[in-house]
Amino acid sequence: MFTAIQVVQVAALIILLMALLVFFCAIDLIVDLKKKDQDISGKIVIKWLFLSYSKVLYPTEPKGSAPEKDQDADKKREMEKFGPATVKDVDIAPEGKITNEAKSTKKKKELKAKDIIKIFNAIKTPLFRLFRGTMRNIRLYCGRCDISFGLPNPADTGMLCGFLFGAFGSLHHYWQDFSYFLEPRFDEKVLDMQLMADVRLRIYRFIPVFLRFALDRGVLRTGWLLVRTYR
């Protein structure tokens, strides 16, 4: 018969062995996703040892005309039942509440393209170090990414275009089996994407890389400024 101390020791040993397996055993990730407007569809598969997990995403089905007609008919019946609405029946929001909401929305700051560029310049050295370390520790069997993007301001779209071409060019430098296609649209706001990838990784290889990035002085200083400014 095991004592309580022995049971705790066995449980701790099992947890330690499971953690070592998670950190050192290879994890395979297969991604096939497509984003069109607000709909995201595709499949994500994660394999580890003899275990496998898959998640299938389905696009949102458009609402048919028949249910809309039924809703309109229900609304008409409710209107006929209760009679025409008067001014007293309508809920009017207090003016003070409206002004407070307007002030709160004005106080919120949006992250613009020029702010993103400033943040990037402040942490570009540790960011590039993180990028290189991450790419070296990921094994890509095959991959492709097609993106169509556009921002409200054409100038911001141009800056984003230059950044994405540089980033994906670097990916292709590390992964020879990776291909991409970028389509900037300067006349509309859009973000459509199709991503296919089959990669293998081991978690223990990323720990030193991410710790070095997170503990960098520039990253800590920039993160604190972001929390204070955009919270």
Side-chain angles (χ1 to χ4, degrees):
M1 190 68 181
F2 291 103
T3 63
I5 297 177
Q6 291 176 339
V7 171
V8 172
Q9 291 176 346
V10 172
L13 182 60
I14 293 174
I15 294 173
L16 179 60
L17 290 176
M18 290 297 296
L20 291 175
L21 286 175
V22 171
F23 280 113
F24 289 95
C25 291
I27 299 175
D28 294 322
L29 177 64
I30 302 173
V31 179
D32 186 2
L33 295 177
K34 183 177 181 181
K35 179 184 180 299
K36 182 69 174 177
D37 297 330
Q38 300 297 326
D39 293 335
I40 299 177
S41 59
K43 187 177 182 180
I44 300 174
V45 180
I46 302 174
K47 295 181 180 180
W48 176 70
L49 295 178
F50 55 88
L51 301 177
S52 177
Y53 171 79
S54 61
K55 175 68 175 179
V56 180
L57 303 175
Y58 298 98
T60 305
E61 296 182 358
K63 296 181 179 180
S65 57
E68 292 180 356
K69 292 181 179 180
D70 295 338
Q71 291 178 1
D72 294 338
D74 293 337
K75 290 180 180 179
K76 288 181 180 180
R77 283 194 290 268
E78 290 181 359
M79 292 290 292
E80 293 175 356
K81 181 178 179 181
F82 294 101
T86 60
V87 178
K88 294 181 180 180
D89 298 330
V90 180
D91 294 332
I92 302 175
E95 295 181 358
K97 185 177 180 180
I98 297 175
T99 54
N100 291 333
E101 290 180 355
K103 289 180 181 179
S104 61
T105 53
K106 289 181 179 179
K107 288 180 181 179
K108 293 181 180 179
K109 294 184 179 180
E110 296 181 355
L111 196 63
K112 300 180 181 179
K114 61 180 182 179
D115 299 326
I116 297 176
I117 294 176
K118 290 180 181 179
I119 296 170
F120 174 75
N121 291 330
I123 62 172
K124 62 181 179 180
T125 301
L127 193 62
F128 284 145
R129 192 188 305 121
L130 174 67
F131 177 77
R132 289 192 298 268
T134 303
M135 294 303 103
R136 292 192 186 102
N137 294 322
I138 296 179
R139 183 177 179 182
L140 178 73
Y141 294 105
C142 63
R144 178 173 177 81
C145 184
D146 299 337
I147 300 179
S148 300
F149 60 94
L151 298 175
N153 189 348
D156 295 340
T157 304
M159 289 187 289
L160 181 61
C161 179
F163 175 78
L164 289 179
F165 268 102
F168 279 96
S170 300
L171 287 176
H172 185 70
H173 173 73
Y174 287 97
W175 296 334
Q176 298 299 324
D177 295 329
F178 177 77
S179 59
Y180 63 95
F181 175 76
L182 303 178
E183 181 186 1
R185 297 183 184 177
F186 298 93
D187 56 345
E188 60 178 335
K189 180 180 178 181
V190 64
L191 179 59
D192 296 336
M193 180 180 67
Q194 186 172 3
L195 174 64
M196 294 178 291
D198 184 2
V199 300
R200 169 171 286 188
L201 51 91
R202 300 177 190 272
I203 296 178
Y204 78 94
R205 295 179 178 176
F206 298 93
I207 296 176
V209 178
F210 282 103
L211 285 178
R212 188 177 181 185
F213 173 78
L215 299 177
D216 186 85
R217 292 183 179 180
V219 175
L220 293 174
R221 189 185 310 113
T222 305
W224 174 245
L225 290 176
L226 286 174
V227 171
R228 291 180 58 186
T229 306
Y230 298 101
R231 62 181 178 182

